[in-house]
Amino acid sequence: MSEIAQMDLNPRGAVKSESPLAMTRVNVVLAASARDAGVVVREKPFLGHLVLRGRAEDEAFRAGVERVLGLALPLALGPVARDEARGVSLQWMSPDEWLIVVPAGLEFDAEAALRRELTGHYAVMNTSGGQTVLELTGPKVRELLMKCTPYDVHPRAFPVGKGVSSVFAKSSAVIRRVDEERWELVIRRSFADYLYRWILDAAEEFGVFVSPSESAGSVEHRMAREAAVEGR
Amino acid sequence: MLHIYCPHCAETREEEEFRPKGEAHIARPVEPEATSDEDWGNYLFFRKNPRGLHHELWYHAAGCRKFFNVTRDTVSYQIHETYKVGQKPSVTADKGAAK
């Protein structure tokens, strides 16, 4: 018998033991309905995301973008240009970079139209597969965001319509305020699982409800896509 | 935490969004093949480490992902100004920093 102090590292009973997966909070306590929840989370999947690069001081570039999207190119950080009815938005990301979001299935046509209309020094990249949109609604969303990002989400600094890119939950996200109590996060695919679980965990205290996303291979989504393909 | 004004976003943002990238205004020798080993070594590896005003390059990693310059006091951490790459600093050690 050697002189070794042996410890029981799993003292059942007195101390709570947790599996390494204990922090995997997929099963947070969800609110009974969207009406009881302080935060309602809904993914808006399969939207068309295009990254547009170009020279903002080039008048022909600005005019071309406006002809295709029907939205004036924002020239500084601030309000996201948005047409709610058509589901098209255009956001300033950097002095020479913009994020275009179009409805599912229309990204191919939007890119083709931009390539038709634009000349000179520009770039369009389809990043639809690389990112997704989470919509957060409810009276407690602002409080939830305060837990997640160092950016000031007070109405004074973050009025309705504004969109910024910032640190979010030690990762990054594009944060957009669509309405008083409606926000959007544009998140990267590789962080989506982590951020989704972070948001559910952070929102649990306010009462969180996950609203089913409208498409995820639904009939309407498929039909919209087929219609867009036929129209080509 | 520092509050840093990004000249591209035209907003003051949290330090967490930025990454420091070292000394600013380092000019690459115009003719590398005609540059002495010592000068090339100085260009590649040797950096100023002043006590006081320092011109630094910063990167707005989580925001607009653009580089810009910061004039910072390495003693007090006070940021005197930020300006775009290609511009000249208005606050320099010989001009003296406005307190």
Side-chain angles (χ1 to χ4, degrees):
Chain A
M1 188 78 184
S2 56
E3 294 290 312
I4 288 176
Q6 191 189 353
M7 280 201 297
D8 182 2
L9 291 177
N10 190 5
R12 272 159 293 268
V15 181
K16 193 175 103 185
S17 31
E18 288 184 334
S19 118
L21 281 176
M23 291 306 287
T24 311
R25 302 288 302 274
V26 225
N27 298 315
V28 296
V29 178
L30 294 179
S33 73
R35 214 172 309 126
D36 303 327
V39 176
V40 177
V41 182
R42 186 170 71 107
E43 191 198 355
K44 294 166 117 181
F46 306 114
L47 297 182
H49 300 242
L50 300 173
V51 170
L52 175 69
R53 305 289 304 264
R55 290 172 57 239
E57 57 275 16
D58 181 354
E59 206 174 304
F61 172 73
R62 296 200 306 266
V65 174
E66 190 163 353
R67 273 201 302 282
V68 173
L69 299 174
L71 295 169
L73 196 69
L75 299 178
L77 180 97
V80 178
R82 191 184 279 273
D83 186 331
E84 195 86 40
R86 289 186 295 128
V88 178
S89 66
L90 175 58
Q91 180 178 0
W92 183 96
M93 299 298 288
S94 148
D96 54 7
E97 181 182 338
W98 293 265
L99 173 65
I100 302 167
V101 179
V102 296
L106 300 185
E107 61 273 21
F108 187 94
D109 294 329
E111 182 183 341
L114 284 167
R115 292 194 184 283
R116 231 177 7 251
E117 292 289 333
L118 299 180
T119 51
H121 192 59
Y122 75 94
V124 189
M125 284 152 285
N126 185 343
T127 58
S128 309
Q131 47 201 37
T132 190
V133 175
L134 276 184
E135 188 188 64
L136 306 173
T137 43
K140 293 289 188 181
V141 173
R142 202 170 71 83
E143 262 181 82
L144 164 71
L145 293 174
M146 285 158 68
K147 292 170 73 178
C148 303
T149 174
Y151 195 85
D152 188 0
V153 291
H154 191 277
R156 192 174 48 223
F158 213 131
V160 169
K162 190 172 180 176
V164 301
S165 167
S166 184
V167 171
F168 191 95
K170 291 182 268 182
S171 166
S172 65
V174 176
I175 309 165
R176 296 144 55 118
R177 187 170 193 185
V178 185
D179 215 330
E180 284 298 330
E181 290 184 352
R182 190 149 67 93
W183 301 67
E184 275 178 356
L185 299 176
V186 183
I187 57 174
R188 292 187 194 280
R189 179 176 206 107
S190 50
F191 289 104
D193 172 57
Y194 159 73
L195 289 174
Y196 180 68
R197 281 188 277 144
W198 169 291
I199 289 166
L200 288 189
D201 185 40
E204 189 180 20
E205 61 168 308
F206 307 119
V208 59
F209 183 78
V210 179
S211 179
S213 52
E214 70 241 345
S215 46
S218 75
V219 179
E220 305 93 76
H221 173 68
R222 246 195 343 268
M223 279 168 64
R225 214 175 176 99
E226 277 160 15
V229 170
E230 274 165 27
R232 239 169 250 160
Chain B
M1 293 282 279
L2 299 174
H3 265 144
I4 302 172
Y5 182 84
C6 170
H8 300 287
C9 294
E11 268 193 350
T12 304
R13 301 283 195 97
E14 284 289 334
E15 181 185 351
E16 202 180 337
E17 293 190 7
F18 299 90
R19 296 286 178 273
K21 292 288 177 180
E23 188 185 334
H25 306 299
I26 297 170
R28 188 173 195 268
V30 182
E31 288 183 77
E33 54 287 338
T35 306
S36 71
D37 285 354
E38 191 183 347
D39 287 348
W40 187 251
N42 286 342
Y43 157 69
L44 278 186
F45 302 115
F46 286 82
R47 296 291 177 260
K48 288 188 194 120
N49 185 20
R51 181 181 164 82
L53 275 194
H54 191 211
H55 303 291
E56 298 170 329
L57 192 64
W58 282 69
Y59 175 53
H60 196 178
C64 61
R65 307 197 299 286
K66 295 279 176 211
F67 288 83
F68 61 97
N69 297 319
V70 172
T71 305
R72 186 175 66 90
D73 192 311
T74 57
V75 179
S76 66
Y77 280 62
Q78 187 192 350
I79 291 172
H80 291 281
E81 66 169 340
T82 60
Y83 51 101
K84 292 178 186 174
V85 169
Q87 293 176 339
K88 291 257 188 291
S90 66
V91 181
T92 52
D94 46 297
K95 276 189 208 162
K99 284 281 170 195

